[in-house]
Amino acid sequence: MMLQKERSDWKGGLASVFILFGFVYAWLCFTCVLRQGHVSEDDYVRMTQEIVEQSLSKEAVPAGWECSVRETREVQP
């Protein structure tokens, strides 16, 4: 009789462990989906600085600079 009682407790404990692992797995999947596409603040700042540095290369001319030079050249004889 004690052997049968231990087996039933063993099955219930195993079922509880499986349910617990199921909840943990579901929580990890949920947090993974939430983090998908997330960019940390440090990476965002770094990427923004790289974009600005690339757009302000030494060869780049400011937008208003070309227009004023053209107008000056056209007006002067």
Side-chain angles (χ1 to χ4, degrees):
M1 293 241 177
M2 290 186 78
L3 188 59
Q4 289 178 350
K5 188 176 182 181
E6 289 177 13
R7 285 185 183 172
S8 64
D9 290 340
W10 180 76
K11 290 179 184 178
L14 184 62
S16 298
V17 168
F18 281 138
I19 291 171
L20 179 64
F21 280 136
F23 282 130
V24 170
Y25 182 75
W27 177 255
L28 291 175
C29 290
F30 179 71
T31 57
C32 182
V33 167
L34 286 178
R35 290 183 187 180
Q36 187 176 8
H38 175 72
V39 178
S40 69
E41 186 176 347
D42 294 335
D43 288 339
Y44 182 78
V45 169
R46 180 185 52 79
M47 288 187 291
T48 305
Q49 288 175 347
E50 288 176 2
I51 292 171
V52 170
E53 288 172 0
Q54 289 173 1
S55 66
L56 296 177
S57 65
K58 293 180 181 178
E59 300 167 357
V61 178
W65 181 260
E66 278 186 29
C67 295
S68 63
V69 171
R70 286 183 189 165
E71 290 172 5
T72 306
R73 288 180 186 167
E74 291 173 2
V75 173
Q76 292 179 353

